[in-house]
Amino acid sequence: MKKILILAFTEIFLFSFGQEKMNNVEYKSSPEVFTIKGLSQSVSIDCGTSTMILLSGQVPLDAAGNLVGNDVEKQTQQVFKNIEFILKEYGATGKDIVKLGIFITDISKTPDFRKIRDLYINLQNPPVSSLVEVSRLFRDDVLIEVEATAVIKNK
């Protein structure tokens, strides 16, 4: 009987803890960024003294869904504009980015990407990054996609 009571209390505790944590998750989108029905642009997780913001892969589409640019440099500019628009919804900026995941169709264009990236990130403490060359993204004319994770202090 004692084991059953301990098991019951453990399950109640774990269930309560899990439900409480779900209240710490918030999904947001920006009206400045093209949205696809059924997909989230970002999610934030309240971690106590800070909030972690995870962005879905951003592509070089404007708010109307039009491709911006036909080279990596121009497309990266739009990607980081989109990232900034979404982070602004949380009171954050590109300077708060701690991790980037970069998917690029031509790795030799990495310097073009970095030239633009460096305008948006904290160069004193640059984000950790993963760079992957891919044969294709979701459209043939999209040359780059970037995922971002940011962390901000809670007020």
Side-chain angles (χ1 to χ4, degrees):
M1 182 68 172
K2 187 176 178 182
K3 289 181 182 180
I4 293 173
L5 285 174
I6 290 172
L7 180 61
F9 283 120
T10 302
E11 286 184 33
I12 290 169
F13 173 76
L14 291 175
F15 178 75
S16 298
F17 181 75
Q19 293 301 312
E20 183 180 334
K21 289 297 179 192
M22 290 307 293
N23 293 334
N24 294 338
V25 175
E26 181 179 18
Y27 294 85
K28 285 190 179 183
S29 294
S30 168
E32 303 292 328
V33 179
F34 182 70
T35 57
I36 298 171
K37 187 176 178 169
L39 299 177
S40 298
Q41 291 178 351
S42 67
V43 62
S44 68
I45 303 165
D46 185 341
C47 300
T49 60
S50 61
T51 296
M52 182 185 314
I53 305 161
L54 304 151
L55 277 67
S56 62
Q58 296 301 305
V59 293
L61 301 180
D62 64 16
N66 300 311
L67 181 71
V68 176
N70 57 3
D71 61 32
V72 168
E73 193 171 323
K74 288 183 183 116
Q75 288 192 10
T76 300
Q77 182 76 35
Q78 183 62 43
V79 165
F80 274 94
K81 282 182 182 179
N82 291 347
I83 289 171
E84 286 282 331
F85 286 137
I86 295 167
L87 290 176
K88 184 178 176 185
E89 295 293 321
Y90 296 97
T93 71
K95 305 293 185 200
D96 298 306
I97 295 172
V98 296
K99 169 82 168 94
L100 289 172
I102 304 108
F103 305 91
I104 192 166
T105 58
D106 182 354
I107 207 156
S108 73
K109 302 296 182 185
T110 301
D112 297 334
F113 162 77
R114 287 187 180 147
K115 178 177 157 185
I116 302 303
R117 177 209 61 183
D118 289 353
L119 300 173
Y120 290 90
I121 64 167
N122 177 350
L123 291 174
Q124 305 321 118
N125 294 301
V128 297
S129 300
S130 299
L131 174 67
V132 179
E133 182 178 43
V134 295
S135 61
R136 185 174 186 270
L137 290 163
F138 80 106
R139 284 176 30 180
D140 288 331
D141 54 355
V142 172
L143 307 174
I144 190 159
E145 182 171 337
V146 179
E147 297 176 337
T149 302
V151 175
I152 56 172
K153 290 182 181 176
N154 287 341
K155 298 173 182 173

